[in-house]
């Protein structure tokens, strides 16, 4: 029998948090800088794996790869959108005029 998704998510999260807690304790007790670096890389890899798993389950949204940046002012944007809307409305009106049925005598 399949386990409910919520229960699976809780199990994954509990295991992740427990492993991370142990890794941070290990980091605090380590004396060698090389060992500390390895532990930090392991913690980072575990974080990435956890969030990728949560993204695959649909719990965490993935950030876009690229942000959309514009230099268009609000006034220019409003003018552009208004013109696009009017052009679309005009196209719809033209399409409706073309589709009228001639009266049958």
């Amino acid at each position: 029998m399949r386990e409910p998704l919520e229960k699976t998510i809780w199990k994954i999260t509990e295991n992740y948090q427990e492993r991370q807690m142990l890794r941070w304790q290990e980091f605090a007790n380590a004396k060698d800088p090389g060992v500390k670096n390895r532990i930090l890389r392991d913690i980072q890899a575990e974080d990435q794996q956890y969030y990728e798993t949560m993204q695959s389950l649909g719990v965490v949204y993935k950030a876009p790869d690229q942000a959309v940046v514009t230099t268009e002012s609000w006034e220019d944007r409003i003018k552009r959108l208004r013109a696009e809307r009017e052009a679309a409305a005009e196209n719809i009106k033209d399409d409706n005029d073309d589709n009228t049925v001639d009266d049958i005598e």
Side-chain angles (χ1 to χ4, degrees):
M1 189 164 160
R2 288 188 68 190
E3 196 171 77
L5 180 61
E6 185 176 299
K7 192 171 184 179
T8 301
I9 292 168
W10 278 110
K11 280 184 178 180
I12 292 169
T13 301
E14 277 184 336
N15 289 337
Y16 160 76
Q17 289 174 346
E18 186 175 335
R19 283 191 309 273
Q20 291 297 72
M21 182 184 63
L22 293 173
R23 297 301 288 174
W24 281 111
Q25 286 174 350
E26 186 179 346
F27 177 82
N29 294 332
K31 303 292 184 218
D32 181 21
V35 172
K36 286 189 171 212
N37 258 346
R38 183 182 51 80
I39 293 169
L40 286 175
R41 282 193 306 272
D42 291 348
I43 288 170
Q44 181 184 13
E46 182 80 24
D47 279 345
Q48 183 173 352
Q49 182 182 4
Y50 172 73
Y51 288 108
E52 286 173 358
T53 301
M54 290 295 114
Q55 286 173 351
S56 71
L57 294 173
V59 177
V60 176
Y61 293 108
K62 183 176 181 180
D65 294 332
Q66 183 177 357
V68 177
V69 179
T70 182
T71 57
E72 185 178 35
S73 72
W74 281 106
E75 289 175 356
D76 292 339
R77 180 177 171 89
I78 290 168
K79 288 177 187 175
R80 181 179 55 80
L81 292 173
R82 185 174 291 140
E84 289 175 7
R85 184 182 65 218
E86 289 171 358
E90 192 64 35
N91 286 341
I92 291 171
K93 182 181 176 214
D94 290 344
D95 288 345
N96 287 339
D97 290 344
D98 292 344
N99 294 330
T100 57
V101 178
D102 294 331
D103 290 335
I104 301 176
E105 295 180 23

